[in-house]
């Protein structure tokens, strides 16, 4: 049934509507693919029975002429989204076998629209990481390998399970989240499309919190159009999230294929960083040429505060994380390690339950929020954040969108940056600015490096202008004609 798993979401939805195959057949093919792909470690929980039950219900709705926009399509869910009655761990031991009694808003909207859940996907613990190596379940292995090598590569992070499972055709699309790049960098490392929408587009309700002012959900998909279809279902106002925007969700798929003629595209000169591989620069130039050919006007712009973005992000995100993660005290969720008294129970539980990277973030966050350092670090970082947003505002007076590389390298080896947190943080250099400013950003596969590994280009849009990103992403996708797939070794 490999033909069914190689379909795009769009093609699968058409096949279901035409009754070329049933959701049960489509879902069975994906369940089998998930099972066969265990060496990738992309799923931390497979839910085949639930998937087949949901597929049968979808088939009944299709037969009754009541199909929703995602009716019968099997998806993977990042294990940061709470799923009612289905274990949700954030890939941390501290949540243990936590089974939510509620469903996240984003996933409930997917089920409302007819999608089928294949299971829960691996991620960096609490979404903190860029390589999936901080997961309590062990790292996801990228389905891609360098030509002539069998070295294991990272799929990126934190949404490594989402990206790897889409790249390996285990699901038709996946949910992901992005606090500093966790949708876009894994998409770039696996030859998939990922979009982080404007802050407030998708409800954060029921998504395990990392840094609440930066966290946003979004899809990872096989094509730009698939990403548009998924984002449409995932977006929308939710009274349960006070930062959710009460505005209409545009029909994203209708933007794909639209002409981009006359659009002005900014090239931020500060994104040309030291030691960037020449292949990334060359890919960026190709992207510029493609958009020019499609009728765009290319304009050099300056985002002068870019160099402060990473330090500001690595203050703001840990600060919020240290506060959000205070709730894991052994009393309410998951793990509890008993001590002689209450304080000792807290300490033992948190010492045993949190991984090393999470502890590092809590320590940094607590430090930058502490009396005496608050103004020097946290308040300063907030001021930088404002400057970064102002830089974008100014650029968007001149241009309609920005084009940059997504990440400073192709996928690196598992273990390669593991003992150097700063080297790991540098991976986020092109992505964190977008979260700090709350803007939409998309990664599109655009080529391969000398090892045959995928590389991505990033489009950054005005707040709420995901539509233009879908049009431009569609134009890049068409010009790049990226057809490469990982050679199957699993
Ligand atoms: N890699 C970044 C971090 O470790 C971003 C993670 C994310 O977007 N969730 O914080």
């Amino acid at each position: 049934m490999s033909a069914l798993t190689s379909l795009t979401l769009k093609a699968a939805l058409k096949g279901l509507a035409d009754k070329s195959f049933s959701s049960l057949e489509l879902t069975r093919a994906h369940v089998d693919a998930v099972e066969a792909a265990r060496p990738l470690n992309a799923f931390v929980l497979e839910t085949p029975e639930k998937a087949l039950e949901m597929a049968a219900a979808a088939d009944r709705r299709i037969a009754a002429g009541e199909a929703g926009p995602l009716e019968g399509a099997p998806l993977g869910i990042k294990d940061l989204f709470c799923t009612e009655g289905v274990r949700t761990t954030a890939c941390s031991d501290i949540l243990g076998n936590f089974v939510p009694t509620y469903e996240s808003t984003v996933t409930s909207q997917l089920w409302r629209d007819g999608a089928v859940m294949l299971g829960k996907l691996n991620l960096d613990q609490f979404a903190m990481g860029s390589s999936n190596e901080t997961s309590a379940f062990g790292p996801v292995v990228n389905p891609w390998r360098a030509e002539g090598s069998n070295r294991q590569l990272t799929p990126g992070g934190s949404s490594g399970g989402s990206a790897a499972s889409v790249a390996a055709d285990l699901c038709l699309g996946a949910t992901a989240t992005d606090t500093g790049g966790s949708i876009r960098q894994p998409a770039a490392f696996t030859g998939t499309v990922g979009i982080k929408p404007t802050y407030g587009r998708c409800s954060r309700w029921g998504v395990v919190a990392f840094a609440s002012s930066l966290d946003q959900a979004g899809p990872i998909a096989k094509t730009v159009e698939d990403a548009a279809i998924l984002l449409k279902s995932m977006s929308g106002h939710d009274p349960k999230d006070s930062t959710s925007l009460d505005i209409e969700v545009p029909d994203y798929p209708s933007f794909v294929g639209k002409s981009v003629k006359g659009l002005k595209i900014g090239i931020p000169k500060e994104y040309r960083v030291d030691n960037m591989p020449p292949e990334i620069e060359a890919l960026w130039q190709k992207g510029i040429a493609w958009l020019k050919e499609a009728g765009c006007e290319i304009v050099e712009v300056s985002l002068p505060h870019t160099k402060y973005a990473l330090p500001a992000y690595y203050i703001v995100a840990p600060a919020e994380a240290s506060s959000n993660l205070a709730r894991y005290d052994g009393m309410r969720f998951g793990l509890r390690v008993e001590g002689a008294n209450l304080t000792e129970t807290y300490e033992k539980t948190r010492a045993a339950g949190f991984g090393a990277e999470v502890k590092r973030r809590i320590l940094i966050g607590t430090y930058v929020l502490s009396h005496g350092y608050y103004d020097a670090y946290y308040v300063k970082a907030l001021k930088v954040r404002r400057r970064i947003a102002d830089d974008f505002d100014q650029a968007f007076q001149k241009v309609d969108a920005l084009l940059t590389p997504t990440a400073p390298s192709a996928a690196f080896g598992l273990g390669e940056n593991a003992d150097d947190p700063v080297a790991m943080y540098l991976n986020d250099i092109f992505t964190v600015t977008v979260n700090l400013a709350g803007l939409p950003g998309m990664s599109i596969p655009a080529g391969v490096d000398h090892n045959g590994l995928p590389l991505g280009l990033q489009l950054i849009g005005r707040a709420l202008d995901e539509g233009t990103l879908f049009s431009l992403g569609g134009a890049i996708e068409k010009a790049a004609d990226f057809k490469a797939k990982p050679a199957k070794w699993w």
Side-chain angles (χ1 to χ4, degrees):
M1 278 301 199
S2 75
L4 289 182
T5 54
S6 61
L7 294 173
T8 63
L9 170 64
K10 166 87 177 181
L13 289 170
K14 185 169 182 301
L16 288 166
D18 293 349
K19 306 207 168 60
S20 305
F21 44 81
S22 66
S23 174
L24 218 41
E25 287 168 307
L26 182 68
T27 301
R28 169 61 68 197
H30 283 91
V31 165
D32 291 346
V34 167
E35 210 183 295
R38 286 192 187 138
L40 298 178
N41 201 25
F43 279 77
V44 294
L45 182 71
E46 297 170 18
T47 55
E49 280 118 49
K50 191 176 174 75
L52 295 172
E53 224 172 81
M54 290 173 93
D59 282 333
R60 288 195 291 276
R61 284 190 296 269
I62 294 170
E66 291 162 2
L70 293 173
E71 200 66 61
L75 304 178
I77 302 300
K78 185 177 184 178
D79 203 23
L80 202 61
F81 292 81
C82 286
T83 40
E84 189 181 348
V86 177
R87 190 191 70 181
T88 301
T89 67
C91 290
S92 177
D93 287 333
I94 206 144
L95 273 163
N97 285 319
F98 172 59
V99 178
T101 52
Y102 47 84
E103 187 77 31
S104 84
T105 299
V106 163
T107 47
S108 71
Q109 290 175 184
L110 295 173
W111 316 143
R112 170 202 70 197
D113 287 351
V116 166
M117 178 165 88
L118 288 166
K120 306 296 292 285
L121 295 162
N122 205 345
L123 64 139
D124 276 301
Q125 188 161 155
F126 282 104
M128 297 173 190
S130 307
S131 66
N132 237 277
E133 290 165 291
T134 73
S135 167
F137 293 91
V140 177
V141 184
N142 195 330
W144 290 84
R145 285 173 164 180
E147 269 158 23
S149 161
N150 54 15
R151 177 156 177 239
Q152 296 197 328
L153 303 177
T154 173
S158 65
S159 312
S162 309
S165 63
V166 173
D169 288 338
L170 311 185
C171 56
L172 293 173
T175 65
T177 61
D178 190 314
T179 303
S182 278
I183 291 176
R184 293 159 287 154
Q185 182 252 23
F189 280 11
T190 56
T192 56
V193 176
I195 178 164
K196 179 203 92 73
T198 309
Y199 184 79
R201 269 290 188 208
C202 289
S203 169
R204 290 180 297 107
W205 197 81
V207 182
V208 176
F210 164 9
S212 307
S213 78
L214 302 161
D215 297 344
Q216 248 322 268
I220 291 184
K222 296 185 188 183
T223 67
V224 173
E225 190 173 23
D226 286 2
I229 294 170
L230 288 168
L231 185 62
K232 191 173 179 211
S233 286
M234 293 168 73
S235 303
H237 179 239
D238 176 12
K240 293 200 288 261
D241 172 1
S242 61
T243 62
S244 153
L245 296 167
D246 191 2
I247 47 172
E248 210 184 311
V249 178
D251 182 35
Y252 295 131
S254 69
F255 286 88
V256 184
K258 238 170 127 171
S259 166
V260 295
K261 210 167 159 190
L263 288 178
K264 290 202 176 77
I265 307 300
I267 307 299
K269 60 171 193 259
E270 290 79 5
Y271 281 54
R272 196 158 280 122
V273 295
D274 293 345
N275 302 328
M276 191 160 85
E279 287 171 308
I280 305 260
E281 172 67 34
L283 184 82
W284 198 4
Q285 293 307 323
K286 259 197 205 163
I288 292 172
W290 291 330
L291 290 181
K292 253 192 208 163
E293 269 162 45
C296 296
E297 190 187 321
I298 306 295
V299 183
E300 177 152 310
V301 294
S302 172
L303 301 169
H305 297 89
T306 301
K307 63 173 177 287
Y308 305 115
L310 262 187
Y313 171 84
Y314 278 99
I315 289 172
V316 173
E320 293 186 24
S322 70
S323 161
N324 272 326
L325 271 56
R327 74 191 70 175
Y328 303 104
D329 55 5
M331 299 298 128
R332 283 166 289 184
F333 314 92
L335 184 77
R336 175 185 303 183
V337 183
E338 297 291 347
N341 52 47
L342 184 64
T343 306
E344 213 183 284
T345 300
Y346 287 159
E347 287 170 355
K348 285 192 162 169
T349 301
R350 289 168 69 83
F354 289 133
E357 182 62 29
V358 175
K359 285 177 187 156
R360 177 161 31 237
R361 308 274 179 126
I362 292 173
L363 288 171
I364 294 172
T366 309
Y367 181 79
V368 300
L369 289 174
S370 62
H371 182 73
Y373 294 104
Y374 184 83
D375 288 332
Y377 292 104
Y378 184 64
V379 172
K380 189 80 161 231
L382 291 185
K383 287 180 180 164
V384 170
R385 184 176 187 175
R386 178 73 256 163
R387 293 289 174 118
I388 286 166
D390 288 347
D391 283 356
F392 279 114
D393 278 350
Q394 296 217 335
F396 284 127
Q397 285 176 12
K398 286 187 270 180
V399 298
D400 299 295
L402 301 164
L403 180 74
T404 77
T406 306
S409 72
F412 48 89
L414 286 174
E416 204 171 299
N417 288 330
D419 48 11
D420 184 351
V422 175
M424 193 66 94
Y425 297 168
L426 281 171
N427 244 281
D428 307 326
I429 192 152
F430 302 137
T431 49
V432 294
T433 51
V434 168
N435 302 75
L436 289 168
L439 302 174
M442 176 192 264
S443 179
I444 306 107
V448 292
D449 76 352
H450 63 284
N451 288 318
L453 294 173
L455 299 171
L457 285 173
Q458 175 177 234
L459 288 163
I460 303 171
R462 292 193 176 101
L464 302 177
D465 195 15
E466 289 85 1
T468 298
L469 294 192
F470 282 120
S471 300
L472 287 165
I476 290 180
E477 183 177 58
K478 197 165 155 214
D481 195 27
F482 183 89
K483 292 263 160 59
K485 288 294 264 180
K488 200 164 173 227
W489 54 264
W490 55 92

